[in-house]
Amino acid sequence: MSASLTFLLLLPGCCLAAVTSGRWRLVGRSAANSWIINRVGFYSDATCTTEIKSRPFRSHKGDGSRYDGSAFSGPNVRAPSGAPADAFEANGQTWNSGVTCPATGTSCHVGFRWLSDQVDTSGVSESFASVGLLQPGSAAPLCVRLDQSSQADQYATAVLVQYWSSTARSWQDHTLFSGLTGGTANLRLPEVPVSR
């Protein structure tokens, strides 16, 4: 037995960590008609109780809206309803892939990129200021709450959680969840080994 393996056994959890990335996405698979999402939330704990802020940017209206980044989705077709941002807000709107999602591949996806030109200001709850310089953000989720349609042909029976690797400059698979049914599911993301 190697010394590093012994160390891991003696100190459980010492060398595990959540993956940190500026972009995360869910890839829906095996949705017979289309994939309809009511809400997606990323959480910093394994029980889906502490939500990571992911308020999506909507427009340059100058209305002073707070945002944490931008939502994105695919395929890039004219969907019957909803923008990707609707998947990240509890606004009664849904996001719809608009097409069948195959059992393989990554064509049907919805995700979030943490990027903002806003900073929190101290003293006032939910107060912020725009600084005019975009700064990349990141998230290290340990759980994703997915609320998808309950109608049999409008939910994904498998969902692949992916993150963007700046080093590899590509999407990396984190965890595949299969056997899903419609409605709300908490998708627990396991921590991964890190080298010291």
Side-chain angles (χ1 to χ4, degrees):
M1 182 179 293
S2 72
S4 61
L5 182 56
T6 304
F7 182 68
L8 281 171
L9 292 174
L10 293 174
L11 298 170
C14 77
C15 299
L16 296 176
V19 173
T20 300
S21 178
R23 288 184 254 177
W24 286 85
R25 73 179 184 178
L26 305 181
V27 177
R29 295 181 172 166
S30 299
N33 184 22
S34 65
W35 187 25
I36 296 178
I37 295 178
N38 301 314
R39 178 89 162 77
V40 173
F42 293 97
Y43 293 79
S44 60
D45 62 305
T47 58
C48 276
T49 54
T50 306
E51 190 166 5
I52 298 169
K53 292 181 181 179
S54 54
R55 289 172 288 217
F57 175 79
R58 287 285 189 168
S59 69
H60 288 289
K61 293 180 185 175
D63 61 2
S65 296
R66 174 83 164 104
Y67 65 90
D68 302 300
S70 60
F72 58 90
S73 68
N76 294 322
V77 297
R78 188 176 188 289
S81 66
D86 291 324
F88 295 92
E89 294 183 319
N91 61 5
Q93 300 294 316
T94 61
W95 173 79
N96 187 333
S97 68
V99 297
T100 299
C101 300
T104 60
T106 59
S107 61
C108 288
H109 63 268
V110 65
F112 198 84
R113 178 181 186 187
W114 282 267
L115 181 72
S116 180
D117 68 347
Q118 297 176 335
V119 294
D120 288 324
T121 56
S122 61
V124 181
S125 178
E126 294 297 309
S127 182
F128 64 93
S130 293
V131 295
L133 180 64
L134 286 172
Q135 296 292 320
S138 63
L142 290 174
C143 188
V144 179
R145 180 170 293 146
L146 171 63
D147 180 10
Q148 56 182 346
S149 174
S150 296
Q151 188 171 326
D153 60 348
Q154 296 181 337
Y155 65 81
T157 60
V159 171
L160 174 62
V161 178
Q162 294 184 313
Y163 62 94
W164 180 260
S165 168
S166 305
T167 307
R169 299 177 68 126
S170 64
W171 288 103
Q172 304 295 305
D173 294 348
H174 190 290
T175 308
L176 175 64
F177 298 90
S178 57
L180 298 176
T181 59
T184 302
N186 289 344
L187 310 176
R188 187 184 179 286
L189 302 176
E191 293 177 297
V192 297
V194 294
S195 58
R196 288 191 174 228

